Amino acid sequence: MNLIVSCPGCGLRGRLPDNLLGLKTIVCPKCRTAVPVAELLNRASPVADDSFPIWVDGEFTSAALAQAPQVPAPSKAEEPVYAGDFMKEEAARFEQYVAARLGELHKKRRELAEAECKFEALTMQRKQELHRQQGALAATSDEVAKRESDLQAREAALQAREAELAARETKVSRSDQRAADLDRRAAELRVTLDQLEGRRAAVAEERSALERRAAELDRIELALHRRSAELDELDERLRQEQEEWEQSHERTR
């Protein structure tokens, strides 16, 4: 079905293209009157006849809309009947419109081709950058792997160091235990030494007493020797006196 509209200014009738339904205002191709699309749709009538020309204008610009006179819509009784004299003019306008749209389409195609070329160049540049980044990432991965290997070696060395420190700590603990045992034994020895010192003092005192006793015994022995010598001398004198007495007694007989 076709929507047949009529201009309220000059009464031009024609088919309204579907791609113009989204506009708010269009210009009559004959009298250049700006007509709201909503008003045209209200006055439109659907028909199956394709003999009506397409009502289209190639200059739908804001300047054309501003210069177009605003004519109030006449009543339905005043609408003139389209006589079909503008078929060629409308066909020419349509061809101009199609040519303009084709020119715009070719221009957009060229712009699209240029955009595609730019996009391909940018894509190639991005791919090169991606390859470069992948190479850098591979180098970084190798460096990271090398660092991980170094870290593993350092970790192994650290574990060996920790094992050595643990062994040393065990030795230190044993040494501390032995030192504690030695301290305990030293304390016991100090007690024993104190006891020995006490006994030594007692022994020294006893020795001093014994030495005094020995000195006294020496004096007694010396006195006994002197007494013994005196007794020997006295015994010798008595023996001599007895011999003298016996001799004198024999002489007296």
Side-chain angles (χ1 to χ4, degrees):
M1 298 297 290
N2 299 310
L3 292 178
I4 304 302
V5 296
S6 61
C7 176
C10 63
L12 176 64
R13 293 172 61 84
R15 288 180 293 165
L16 185 65
D18 295 335
N19 58 353
L20 299 181
L21 296 178
L23 298 177
K24 294 183 179 180
T25 305
I26 61 176
V27 179
C28 176
K30 182 179 180 181
C31 66
R32 312 301 294 174
T33 300
V35 184
V37 175
E39 182 180 349
L40 290 176
L41 293 177
N42 292 332
R43 300 167 60 87
S45 58
V47 294
D49 188 7
D50 294 334
S51 61
F52 288 91
I54 297 176
W55 190 16
V56 66
D57 183 22
E59 298 178 356
F60 294 108
T61 61
S62 58
L65 292 175
Q67 294 175 1
Q70 302 293 331
V71 179
S75 61
K76 291 185 178 180
E78 297 177 355
E79 290 183 0
V81 179
Y82 177 68
D85 295 335
F86 301 98
M87 292 289 293
K88 294 182 180 180
E89 184 179 355
E90 293 301 323
R93 288 180 179 275
F94 178 71
E95 289 178 358
Q96 292 178 0
Y97 173 77
V98 171
R101 293 297 180 269
L102 288 176
E104 293 179 0
L105 181 60
H106 289 307
K107 181 179 179 181
K108 289 182 179 180
R109 285 182 178 177
R110 287 194 301 270
E111 293 177 354
L112 181 60
E114 292 177 358
E116 288 179 353
C117 292
K118 291 181 180 180
F119 178 75
E120 289 179 357
L122 182 60
T123 303
M124 184 62 65
Q125 184 178 0
R126 293 285 180 86
K127 286 182 179 180
Q128 292 176 356
E129 181 67 20
L130 181 60
H131 288 312
R132 187 184 64 79
Q133 291 180 359
Q134 287 178 351
L137 182 60
T140 305
S141 299
D142 295 337
E143 184 68 21
V144 169
K146 183 178 179 181
R147 290 185 179 180
E148 287 181 354
S149 178
D150 294 339
L151 288 176
Q152 290 177 357
R154 291 183 180 180
E155 185 177 359
L158 182 60
Q159 290 178 355
R161 184 66 176 175
E162 288 178 353
E164 184 179 357
L165 289 176
R168 289 186 179 181
E169 287 179 356
T170 303
K171 291 182 179 179
V172 169
S173 178
R174 292 178 181 176
S175 299
D176 293 338
Q177 186 176 0
R178 291 183 62 184
D181 294 338
L182 291 175
D183 291 337
R184 181 177 56 80
R185 291 183 181 180
E188 294 176 355
L189 288 175
R190 281 194 293 271
V191 173
T192 305
L193 286 175
D194 292 337
Q195 294 176 357
L196 289 176
E197 288 293 335
R199 292 182 63 184
R200 183 177 180 181
V203 168
E205 186 177 356
E206 290 178 359
R207 183 177 180 180
S208 178
L210 289 174
E211 287 178 354
R212 289 194 301 271
R213 184 67 177 170
E216 185 178 356
L217 289 175
D218 289 338
R219 288 194 301 272
I220 293 172
E221 185 179 3
L222 183 60
L224 288 175
H225 281 299
R226 286 197 300 269
R227 185 65 176 168
S228 177
E230 290 176 356
L231 289 174
D232 290 340
E233 184 179 357
L234 181 60
D235 186 39
E236 182 65 25
R237 289 173 62 185
L238 288 174
R239 188 175 60 78
Q240 290 177 359
E241 288 178 358
Q242 185 177 1
E243 288 178 356
E244 289 177 357
W245 181 78
E246 287 178 355
Q247 289 176 3
S248 66
H249 183 68
E250 286 180 358
R251 280 193 303 268
T252 58
R253 282 183 183 179

